[in-house]
Amino acid sequence: MLDNVTSYLEAKVTKEMDVGTHTIFVGEIVDGDVINEKPCMTYDYYHQVKRGTTPKTAPSYVEEKKEEAPKMSKYKCSVCGWIYDPAAGDPDGGIAPGTPFEKIPDNWQCPMCGAAKSEFEKI
């Protein structure tokens, strides 16, 4: 019977407030316990794990506009032909993925042949 219960709270009602469409109960906690450590279906869990979204028919729906990431150009080493792809970067050379070629330090070298950054051509 308690297979899907993670915890419980018991409260003594100390006040009731009629707010028109429903009643709010204010209480004093008198008991509570954690039954097991299973993850709960919290609002955050719903959005982060289940990818829950507001339906388009809901009055609170706000259309999300996805901005397209600017396409970054690739560059080719004119000495050996190695291609620098900004999406991959050069982690071994200390260049993080997503780094545009223009942001690479001028002293960076081709990881294949050691050619200078100035030896690369936009493709």
Side-chain angles (χ1 to χ4, degrees):
M1 182 167 165
L2 298 176
D3 292 345
N4 296 311
V5 176
T6 59
S7 61
Y8 74 91
L9 293 174
E10 183 180 344
K12 174 183 168 189
V13 176
T14 58
K15 189 174 183 177
E16 294 179 32
M17 293 180 282
D18 182 358
V19 292
T21 58
H22 55 281
T23 302
I24 296 176
F25 294 92
V26 177
E28 178 183 317
I29 303 297
V30 294
D31 194 15
D33 196 9
V34 175
I35 307 290
N36 64 54
E37 298 293 328
K38 288 182 182 178
C40 295
M41 181 69 153
T42 62
Y43 190 70
D44 184 54
Y45 177 88
Y46 173 70
H47 283 281
Q48 298 297 323
V49 177
K50 295 294 188 180
R51 300 287 184 222
T53 58
T54 305
K56 288 184 179 182
T57 55
S60 59
Y61 176 76
V62 176
E63 187 172 352
E64 291 183 32
K65 296 186 181 192
K66 295 181 182 177
E67 292 184 26
E68 204 170 298
K71 186 170 169 117
M72 293 184 279
S73 300
K74 295 179 181 181
Y75 285 77
K76 181 178 179 181
C77 177
S78 62
V79 176
C80 71
W82 185 81
I83 296 175
Y84 175 77
D85 182 356
D90 177 20
D92 293 337
I95 309 300
T99 304
F101 189 79
E102 298 77 26
K103 299 274 183 175
I104 296 175
D106 291 336
N107 64 350
W108 176 81
Q109 296 177 337
C110 175
M112 291 300 279
C113 69
K117 179 183 173 183
S118 60
E119 298 291 327
F120 279 74
E121 300 169 346
K122 188 175 184 177
I123 55 172

